[in-house]
Amino acid sequence: MKQRKHKLGWMASGLSALAITFMACGWSSGQRPEQAAQASDPEQTTTVKPQMAKRSTPDGLELPALRKQSGEQILRRVGYTVSYNAATRLPNWVAWHLTKAHADGPWKRNGIRFQEDPEVDQPRATDADYYNSGYDRGHMCPSGDNKWSEEAQRQSFLFTNCCPQVHGLNAGDWNEIEAQCRRWAKRYGDVYIVSGPVLYSGRRKTIGRDKVVVPEAFFKVVLRMTPTPAAIGFIYKNVAGNRPKAAYVNTVDEVERITGYDFFVSLPDAVERKVEAQADLADWDAE
């Protein structure tokens, strides 16, 4: 299904400069990505974050394999990392490490407006593209996962973290799985999440002057390391509905087949093969 590679092999890819930047920002000394981003950006130095416990799992475990020939642009935020696609005006994926401490907080979305992302070239998604389009500005890394930091909350409203999403999905079953992930983070201590659009082949619908592509579906993959490693995937068609979570469950292997991405590459091979081949919602105590 996918070619095996040395775990952490993405650090030696053609985007090695990105990895070097990460290390220079403090990842090699045990800092979490959000801490590294804060230290490297003067505008983020006032953000107050809870003290992170020392971890035995690799930093960046949530990051999929970077793809040297894809043209993806990697954007590091306080609370998440984006692989951006300039052709679709969408994220390819958004990845983040959601801890128990980050599953809640005082910084709510009140008064925050969606914003263009100045780090990507024009044409890019704007508020005007979504206006009267019939689609919501659907978060990939949700606002609810970024209440722990004022800056993280603000950055969650960048359009590089959004996709056109049917309202009935955004406010319905998609919102429910986002809330479930926060419950999992509280129950298991932390989870690693990757989310993004699914684009099938053929002619694609777009919205707005900037031709923001409308995804046919969305994926989400979730990894936990305690009490034992386990992973689960979900595929949601971009339609309204009210279905049980089990209706959307897929193995991570199947989500990889559909999307072409390689998830959780920093896991040991044997662990990765095992967790990505299994998907049993009953093992996750879903509510």
Side-chain angles (χ1 to χ4, degrees), residues 4-17:
R4 287 288 146 196
K5 64 189 87 56
H6 187 282
K7 303 298 113 183
L8 299 179
W10 58 271
M11 288 187 180
S13 71
L15 292 173
S16 59

Side-chain angles (χ1 to χ4, degrees), residues 178-227:
E178 291 174 337
Q180 180 65 74
C181 287
R182 288 189 286 275
R183 290 192 292 270
W184 284 335
K186 293 176 181 178
R187 178 174 298 139
Y188 301 119
D190 62 347
V191 289
Y192 300 85
I193 307 171
V194 191
S195 189
V198 176
L199 304 176
Y200 298 119
S201 59
R203 189 183 181 95
R204 293 169 178 166
K205 181 178 180 179
T206 63
I207 60 171
R209 182 184 64 184
D210 298 297
K211 300 188 182 304
V212 181
V213 171
V214 177
E216 287 84 7
F218 298 91
F219 73 86
K220 190 180 293 287
V221 293
V222 186
L223 170 71
R224 73 169 194 244
M225 297 302 293
T226 59

Side-chain angles (χ1 to χ4, degrees), residues 253-267:
D253 277 341
E254 181 64 8
V255 179
E256 289 180 328
R257 185 192 68 78
I258 292 170
T259 63
Y261 305 134
D262 190 356
F263 302 111
F264 309 131
V265 294
S266 296
L267 288 172

